[in-house]
Amino acid sequence: MLDELLYVPREQMPAAVNQIGDFTPLGASVLAFGDAAKGDWPGMTALLVLAAYAVVFGVAAARLFRWDQAGTHGHVRS
């Protein structure tokens, strides 16, 4: 019973949930690796989603993360 709460195959999910999932980093990665495993190039949508997340979170990390004065530990600005 617990395994049914943790994992639902994509085929059993509503179409809207599948489409939303395709625009998450994990969903886009699964699509890209699935295409690559079949010998195809990853789809443009999956690549764009992954690139967008990399840019957004990379910029956020660059702006919010700062090293302390001693240079030994980092912290996130509040």
Side-chain angles (χ1 to χ4, degrees), residues 22-67:
D22 292 343
F23 291 95
T24 64
L26 180 61
S29 297
V30 167
L31 290 175
F33 281 115
D35 289 342
K38 291 185 284 189
D40 298 328
W41 283 95
M44 192 56 101
T45 302
L47 293 177
L48 289 174
V49 168
L50 291 170
Y53 274 100
V55 168
V56 168
F57 287 111
V59 168
R63 289 185 48 92
L64 297 174
F65 184 82
R66 296 289 180 250
W67 289 103

